[in-house]
């Protein structure tokens, strides 16, 4: 095997590892966001200590927007709050836009 072929193989393995890490991160953060919505709804019913709204938004911003939106609708939580009703989909839209821009940009991203 030539040095160029080994280098290409190494780059493919590194890229696959990076993509795998990103996918695992997104799955975990969305599960956390989904769970946070459910926990906050349960605590609201018990009139117990609540998860701050800012925490719920931060979870969405760092990649958990799909889990947050799913949790909002499944648990019927924060669906009457305009900031959540419009804010969570807006965060998801911006995240999708960023992915599209990065995926179509002429810049190459190297993972080492």
């Amino acid at each position: 095997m030539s040095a160029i072929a080994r280098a290409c193989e190494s780059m493919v393995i590194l890229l696959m590892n990076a993509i795998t890490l990103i996918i695992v991160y997104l799955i975990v953060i969305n599960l956390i966001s989904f769970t946070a919505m459910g926990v906050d709804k349960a605590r609201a019913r018990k009139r117990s200590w609540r998860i701050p709204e800012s925490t719920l938004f931060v979870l969405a911003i760092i990649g958990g927007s799909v889990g947050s939106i799913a949790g909002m609708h499944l648990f019927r939580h924060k669906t009457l709050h305009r900031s959540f009703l419009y804010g969570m989909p807006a965060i998801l839209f911006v995240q999708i836009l960023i992915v599209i821009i990065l995926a179509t940009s002429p810049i190459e991203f190297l993972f080492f």
Side-chain angles (χ1 to χ4, degrees), residues 3-107:
I4 293 173
R6 280 193 301 266
C8 288
E9 184 178 330
S10 296
M11 291 300 288
V12 169
I13 290 171
L14 286 172
L15 181 60
M16 287 174 47
N17 288 340
I19 291 171
T20 302
L21 284 174
I22 291 168
I23 290 169
V24 168
Y25 170 78
L26 288 173
I27 290 170
V28 169
I29 195 64
N30 277 286
L31 287 172
I32 291 170
S33 297
F34 181 81
T35 303
M37 282 291 182
V39 168
D40 194 48
K41 177 65 176 192
R43 288 180 178 174
R45 286 183 177 151
K46 294 179 182 178
R47 300 198 184 275
S48 182
W49 176 85
R50 303 281 302 278
I51 297 172
E53 289 184 354
S54 60
T55 301
L56 298 174
F57 272 108
V58 167
L59 288 170
I61 289 169
I62 63 172
S65 56
V66 173
S68 293
I69 293 168
M72 276 177 53
H73 293 290
L74 183 72
F75 301 118
R76 293 189 178 106
H77 188 52
K78 303 283 188 188
T79 54
L80 297 178
H81 294 250
R82 287 185 182 195
S83 60
F84 280 84
L85 190 60
Y86 299 113
M88 291 294 175
I91 291 169
L92 178 59
F93 177 77
V94 169
Q95 290 170 339
I96 290 170
L97 197 61
I98 289 169
V99 169
I100 290 170
I101 290 169
L102 290 175
T104 59
S105 76
I107 300 169

